[in-house]
Amino acid sequence: MEKISRTKIVDLLKRRDFGAMVNVKGWVRTRRGSKQVNFIALNDGSTINNVQIVVDLANFDEEMLKQITTGACISVNGELTESIGSGQAAEVQARGIEVLGTCDNTYPLQKKGHTMEFLREIAHLRPRTNTFGAVFRIRHNMAIAIHKFFHERGFFYFHTPIITASDCEGAGQMFQVTTKNLYDLKKDENGSIIYDDDFFGKQASLTVSGQLEGELAATALGAIYTFGPTFRAENSNTPRHLAEFWMIEPEVAFNDITDNMDLAEDFIKYCVQWALDNCYDDVKFLNDMFDKGLIERLQGVLKEEFVRLSYTEGIKILEEAVVKGHKFEFPVYWGVDLASEHERYLVEEHFKRPVILTDYPKEIKAFYMKQNEDGKTVRAMDVLFPKIGEIIGGSEREADYDKLMTRIQELGIPMKDMWWYLDTRKFGSCPHSGFGLGFERLLLFVTGMTNIRDVIPFPRTPRNAEF
């Protein structure tokens, strides 16, 4: 077969220079036809759309044609022609075909619908399905949008450590990193493990957040963001939790809580707009196949100003709902950490648009949040979204050394881990704010998928670290 440089299918389908000789390579989705002519749907991952290859059987070797089955990889030289059928403008009349890789009938992705659960069992092959091709192209585009958004606003991308000796959230659910022989651990007289001979000479873990290091950077570079993998060893088997996920954390010097809310709203709207502008074919496919309200919901988020509401007012609304007969699984009272059913009630039923909830009780929020004058609440802000609940969590940070120190002591956080963080409040402290967005939660919203395991290529969840 003569050498013609390859055209990606995404580009080929836009071409109108009919009569030109082209080369396409990809994987066979389907093959159908009669005794005279076959039609091969070919996909190379560059777009949700297949290109149709028209094969005049008289011109090709029968034995070679037998190898062209669903899943096989082929290279086709042919003439770009105008498509007579509906659906797309261009197709390829095959002049030469080379089978690059055969695919036998044990290939699990035959032409029929597969459940998401089944596809998770073959996560190494699921990117080849239309659904996951769409999801992963959108995932890439969202990452590009995030970097673009912050870069255009003068933020610096700052890399925080993945291996750390401090627990940012005080949650304690961290994965340990060690080179020690777990069958032969040295312990002191109290039964505590001695880490002197470990790689770092102390207990080390995978990071749960880059925020504390991000704050250091913001107090030097002004405005930074992190975007990297994060690890939580909580045993949460829910459709919204992963043990390994990606997080975006901007941190901005001189921003107060209102600036923080403005940034969060602008940021999410930018990402949603980017998806509609740059991934429309993929979003439309997911809309038509999985979630008929997806595009409408994405456009709805762009149209509306987000509601801004104090936690106290939010609790009032939820309590009134209970009085009127609304049944929640979890109780509602001032001081409770809201469950996702509470968050979704406010967003989906009461306001019917995204809500930013502020001024939470200090007892249910992290030690670093700025305390309000009332002594009871902190300047936290959570952005709540339809179908998901909390998508962003953030706050204005406590800039006062003494207040922060008092809070650390109240919570019994070990000072040996915190001295460097407290230095930012000793040496030229400044007001600053930031938030964290779970990348996969943003993707759940943008793709309309219902399980977080289906927006990351290889999900890590309790009792599952396959592939």
Side-chain angles (χ1 to χ4, degrees), residues 156-369:
F156 300 110
Y157 179 32
F158 189 76
H159 294 110
T160 55
I162 289 171
I163 300 173
T164 171
S166 61
D167 175 358
C168 167
E169 297 296 325
Q173 293 158 321
M174 302 177 82
F175 289 103
Q176 282 202 45
V177 176
T178 181
T179 54
K180 286 175 81 68
N181 175 0
L182 298 183
Y183 296 102
D184 183 22
L185 291 174
K186 277 201 314 207
K187 297 185 178 176
D188 64 17
E189 60 275 11
N190 303 322
S192 302
I193 294 166
I194 298 168
Y195 283 97
D196 295 356
D197 61 339
D198 205 352
F199 188 90
F200 295 107
K202 59 158 90 170
Q203 189 174 351
S205 307
L206 293 176
T207 182
V208 295
S209 163
Q211 181 201 312
L212 301 188
E213 292 91 349
E215 285 186 55
L216 302 181
T219 57
L221 299 169
I224 64 97
Y225 68 105
T226 75
F227 184 0
T230 336
F231 307 87
R232 302 269 165 101
E234 54 185 323
N235 196 3
S236 295
N237 249 320
T238 81
R240 298 164 62 240
H241 287 88
L242 290 164
E244 174 186 297
F245 57 98
W246 287 66
M247 194 133 82
I248 298 96
E249 296 174 296
E251 200 68 42
V252 194
F254 317 116
N255 266 15
D256 66 13
I257 186 76
T258 309
D259 303 320
N260 206 26
M261 290 192 274
D262 293 342
L263 181 68
E265 182 166 344
D266 290 348
F267 171 53
I268 288 205
K269 286 181 170 173
Y270 183 95
C271 291
V272 169
Q273 186 68 61
W274 184 274
L276 288 170
D277 291 346
N278 296 278
C279 317
Y280 192 77
D281 284 355
D282 287 323
V283 171
K284 177 136 179 44
F285 172 82
L286 295 169
N287 181 88
D288 297 350
M289 295 299 286
F290 288 99
D291 181 349
K292 299 284 187 277
L294 176 61
I295 289 175
E296 198 183 326
R297 216 165 37 251
L298 293 175
Q299 288 167 340
V301 161
L302 297 173
K303 279 204 305 274
E304 307 262 31
E305 295 284 306
F306 295 3
V307 176
R308 300 187 182 190
L309 186 75
S310 77
Y311 168 91
T312 304
E313 292 168 64
I315 289 290
K316 272 193 201 133
I317 291 167
L318 292 167
E319 285 174 337
E320 281 162 21
V322 172
V323 170
K324 289 179 187 152
H326 189 89
K327 294 271 188 288
F328 290 115
E329 188 186 336
F330 296 101
V332 176
Y333 54 90
W334 198 95
V336 73
D337 201 356
L338 297 182
S340 112
E341 57 168 349
H342 303 140
E343 297 169 338
R344 289 182 59 179
Y345 176 85
L346 291 171
V347 172
E348 292 167 27
E349 299 189 42
H350 190 82
F351 290 107
K352 298 192 165 43
R353 54 188 166 134
V355 172
I356 308 182
L357 216 51
T358 61
D359 301 305
Y360 281 78
K362 71 175 182 184
E363 270 62 46
I364 59 172
K365 286 294 180 186
F367 72 92
Y368 49 70
M369 296 189 178

Side-chain angles (χ1 to χ4, degrees), residues 48 127 129-139 279 281-283 285-286 447:
I48 191 83
T129 64
N130 287 332
T131 302
F132 285 94
V135 167
F136 297 141
R137 280 188 295 272
I138 292 170
R139 188 180 168 104
C279 317
D281 284 355
D282 287 323
V283 171
F285 172 82
L286 295 169
T447 60

